[in-house]
Amino acid sequence: MWPLQPNESLACNCRWCEARKLWGLLINRSRDIARQALQFCSHTEADVAAAICRWTVAFSYTLMCLLREDVQLEPSLAAFLQLDEQQLILQQQHKGSAVLQALGACVRASSMKEIHKMRIDENITIMQDVMGGCERIFRTPIPLSYTRHTSRFLVCWLTCLPFCVADTVGWATVPVACGLAFFLFGIEEIGVQIEEPFGILALEVFCETIAKNVSQAEAQAASSNALAAKCAGRAADVTLEQRQLDWVVSTQLLGANPIRVCNGCDLHNSFAVGSSGNGGITTGSNENVTTSSTTSSSSNSSITVNELQNSGTNKAA
């Protein structure tokens, strides 16, 4: 009996643990898809991001209905999908694949970068692998003959137990036999229940967790976008004030007036004129250049660009 009973319990426990890991992976991938869609989609595609989040939540409920025959799919989808979307899924033979196909279509219709679409598609592929793993467990039950054979052997062993221990334990034979029967039959019952882990696992709680996480991600994304826009506006105001301050300080320090030149830009042309009469000119389109002249200690004067150009023309002549 001991080689048979632990082996059955071990096999059932492995199925239960694998099912739980698959749903844990689904929860994580759903969170990741919602985060990526809300971050990678532009502000003008808020409806596309909302559709991706909506189909992500719908997939978890669809998978739960595939694994539980007593759960109706249509009431579950009515809380998340629109009427035409519900009809699209209900008409399909394999509803889980149809939901993933619609999710992929939403990603393809967005204007996200290709690398971002590939990242989301990788998560969709993982979700499809999760669905395949759950279907493998659901459609491959432990053989009924294995369970029956273990139960029959256990009954025979417990029936013969009192006759084997009566001479040793005496009057305690009945309590000992009853106690062993209680624990061993309890192990047997637990093994039978966890043969089908999706009937024991709290799939409804898992689906509600995914829905809450996606809703929280949408609310957090909205607040984050508003905060980012507010910070960007403050930065723009600070930059504008700093530019105005730089303009005032440079004007006061250099004592030069702005000169209108090409393309209507305000330029300050800086010239340094030595005692020999030669000067350096720093000009250029779309730049702010400062005009100042330095002459001998007896006099200082400002020279404009036109005057210097005329002077250069006369010298060349």
Side-chain angles (χ1 to χ4, degrees):
M1 181 200 70
W2 295 111
L4 293 177
Q5 188 70 21
N7 288 336
E8 181 184 3
S9 301
L10 180 61
C12 297
N13 187 60
C14 290
R15 290 165 58 88
W16 187 88
C17 291
E18 185 179 0
R20 181 61 185 88
K21 290 179 181 179
L22 289 173
W23 272 88
L25 182 60
L26 177 62
I27 293 175
N28 293 334
R29 294 305 95 193
S30 298
R31 294 170 179 169
D32 201 20
I33 289 178
R35 177 189 60 82
Q36 291 173 338
L38 294 171
Q39 287 183 351
F40 297 155
C41 288
S42 61
H43 300 292
T44 59
E45 292 183 334
D47 53 344
V48 177
I52 294 176
C53 295
R54 188 168 63 248
W55 283 107
T56 301
V57 177
F59 175 75
S60 61
Y61 282 91
T62 303
L63 182 59
M64 179 186 66
C65 294
L66 290 176
L67 301 175
R68 287 186 177 178
E69 299 178 353
D70 58 339
V71 179
Q72 298 295 327
L73 178 60
E74 187 173 359
S76 301
L77 296 180
F80 305 99
L81 299 181
Q82 301 176 0
L83 183 59
D84 55 344
E85 296 173 342
Q86 297 177 32
Q87 297 297 327
L88 176 64
I89 299 303
L90 295 176
Q91 293 174 358
Q92 305 299 321
Q93 182 177 3
H94 197 284
K95 299 174 177 56
S97 298
V99 173
L100 292 180
Q101 186 71 21
L103 180 59
C106 293
V107 175
R108 186 179 65 253
S110 66
S111 61
M112 292 184 289
K113 296 181 179 179
E114 292 299 326
I115 184 63
H116 297 160
K117 293 182 180 181
M118 292 175 60
R119 293 291 179 83
I120 298 180
D121 187 72
E122 290 176 358
N123 286 328
I124 296 176
T125 302
I126 294 176
M127 294 173 67
Q128 191 161 12
D129 293 338
V130 168
M131 181 175 62
C134 292
E135 290 179 342
R136 173 172 51 83
I137 296 174
F138 179 72
R139 297 178 181 179
T140 311
I142 294 180
L144 185 60
S145 58
Y146 183 80
T147 304
R148 288 180 177 178
H149 183 72
T150 305
S151 301
R152 291 166 183 171
F153 184 86
L154 182 61
V155 170
C156 294
W157 188 85
L158 290 174
T159 302
C160 299
L161 179 64
F163 300 98
C164 299
V165 301
D167 296 337
T168 304
V169 298
W171 59 270
T173 300
V174 175
V176 169
C178 292
L180 288 175
F182 173 78
F183 288 109
L184 293 178
F185 278 119
I187 295 174
E188 171 69 17
E189 181 64 22
I190 293 173
V192 171
Q193 289 183 0
I194 63 177
E195 286 179 5
E196 301 297 335
F198 301 113
I200 302 176
L201 289 174
L203 301 185
E204 296 87 353
V205 178
F206 298 157
C207 294
E208 292 176 359
T209 300
I210 293 175
K212 291 179 181 179
N213 291 336
V214 172
S215 299
Q216 182 179 358
E218 291 179 324
Q220 186 176 1
S223 60
S224 299
N225 293 335
L227 180 61
K230 187 176 181 180
C231 293
R234 290 180 179 177
D237 294 339
V238 171
T239 304
L240 180 59
E241 292 177 359
Q242 186 64 33
R243 290 179 179 177
Q244 294 175 352
L245 180 61
D246 293 342
W247 172 271
V248 173
V249 171
S250 62
T251 304
Q252 291 178 353
L253 292 178
L254 299 175
N257 296 323
I259 302 173
R260 293 288 179 177
V261 291
C262 60
N263 297 330
C265 299
D266 288 338
L267 300 180
H268 287 248
N269 296 318
S270 176
F271 307 102
V273 182
S275 59
S276 61
N278 295 327
I281 303 175
T282 304
T283 61
S285 62
N286 301 326
E287 294 181 353
N288 289 331
V289 187
T290 307
T291 305
S292 67
S293 61
T294 304
T295 61
S296 61
S297 58
S298 60
S299 62
N300 295 324
S301 60
S302 298
I303 305 175
T304 63
V305 176
N306 295 329
E307 292 175 352
L308 288 177
Q309 289 178 353
N310 295 333
S311 175
T313 304
N314 295 331
K315 288 181 180 180

